[in-house]
């Protein structure tokens, strides 16, 4: 009926097309299985990233008080980074690098942490459309680095002064 209407309503000029399905359809079952495995792996990796993120965040929070927890948080961020590479997400890789930098700050490895933060920040600034979230994370972690470094310097200075005062009193018998 649609063909008749398309031809101005004259049934004598109607075109009838008859579709006959093939006897055997060619389906690429191997590619279908591969696609299903790839999608399943993506789902599993995404779920694993969520678990690691939760676990890493908990250890990072404890890392402010326990150096062993900061070390564990750093190891978790390395595992996350490995998964982020497998997922092919450069933004996620950069965030994992920043998580590692936080762990390094907690362990008073300020130079290494500063190098990572500067590297991520500079790389993101070079992007045609820099991700604001990532830039803000860099700025926040840089502030934490400066603050923790200042505290570390004051503690180190206080220890040196106390050591000098103790030595000035002479040996105690």
């Amino acid at each position: 009926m649609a063909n008749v209407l398309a031809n101005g309503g004259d049934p004598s000029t109607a075109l009838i097309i008859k579709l006959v399905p093939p006897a055997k359809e060619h389906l690429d079952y191997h590619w279908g299985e591969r696609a299903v495995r790839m999608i399943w792996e993506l789902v599993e990796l995404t779920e694993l990233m969520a678990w690691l993120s939760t676990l890493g965040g908990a250890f990072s929070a404890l890392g402010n008080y326990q150096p062993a927890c900061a070390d564990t948080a750093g190891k978790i961020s390395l595992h996350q980074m490995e998964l982020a590479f497998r997922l092919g997400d450069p933004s996620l890789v950069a965030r994992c690098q920043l998580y590692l930098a936080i762990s390094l700050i907690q362990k008073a490895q300020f130079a290494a942490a500063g190098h990572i933060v500067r590297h991520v920040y500079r790389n993101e600034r070079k992007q045609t459309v820099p991700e604001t979230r990532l830039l803000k994370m860099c700025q926040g972690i840089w502030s934490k680095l400066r603050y923790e470094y200042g505290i570390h310097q004051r503690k180190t200075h206080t220890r040196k002064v106390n050591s000098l005062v103790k030595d000035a009193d002479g040996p105690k018998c």
Side-chain angles (χ1 to χ4, degrees):
M1 189 59 129
N3 288 337
V4 172
L5 294 176
N7 293 324
D10 184 9
S12 63
T13 60
L15 175 66
I16 299 174
I17 298 175
K18 185 176 181 183
L19 299 175
V20 180
K24 182 179 178 186
E25 291 191 36
H26 176 69
L27 295 177
D28 192 347
Y29 290 104
H30 295 293
W31 175 251
E33 289 171 9
R34 184 176 177 200
V36 167
R37 278 193 308 270
M38 289 169 54
I39 291 170
W40 188 250
E41 181 182 15
L42 179 64
V43 168
E44 290 289 325
L45 288 175
T46 303
E47 184 176 350
L48 183 57
M49 280 297 286
W51 279 104
L52 286 176
S53 185
T54 301
L55 190 60
F59 274 100
S60 181
L62 292 171
N64 290 326
Y65 309 102
Q66 297 290 327
C69 292
D71 192 48
T72 302
K75 290 176 184 175
I76 290 170
S77 67
L78 289 173
H79 287 294
Q80 285 181 291
M81 197 179 320
E82 189 178 310
L83 291 177
F85 276 118
R86 283 185 65 189
L87 289 169
D89 186 345
S91 176
L92 189 55
V93 171
R95 287 200 316 262
C96 293
Q97 290 171 332
L98 292 175
Y99 301 150
L100 178 61
I102 292 170
S103 147
L104 293 171
I105 292 168
Q106 292 171 331
K107 296 188 293 184
Q109 296 177 10
F110 302 113
H115 176 75
I116 290 171
V117 174
R118 281 190 301 271
H119 173 77
V120 170
Y121 186 79
R122 288 177 183 150
N123 281 349
E124 191 59 30
R125 292 284 299 203
K126 290 178 187 173
Q127 301 299 318
T128 53
V129 181
E131 191 177 321
T132 306
R133 176 182 176 190
L134 205 51
L135 295 173
K136 296 289 185 188
M137 284 178 70
C138 289
Q139 292 168 348
I141 294 168
W142 187 259
S143 293
K144 179 178 178 68
L145 172 69
R146 290 179 57 204
Y147 175 76
E148 294 293 335
Y149 181 72
I151 290 173
H152 180 76
Q153 289 294 91
R154 285 190 291 281
K155 282 181 184 177
T156 303
H157 179 71
T158 303
R159 281 189 213 125
K160 285 181 184 177
V161 168
N162 288 341
S163 173
L164 290 172
V165 169
K166 199 182 279 187
D167 290 342
D169 289 342
K172 301 212 177 185
C173 297

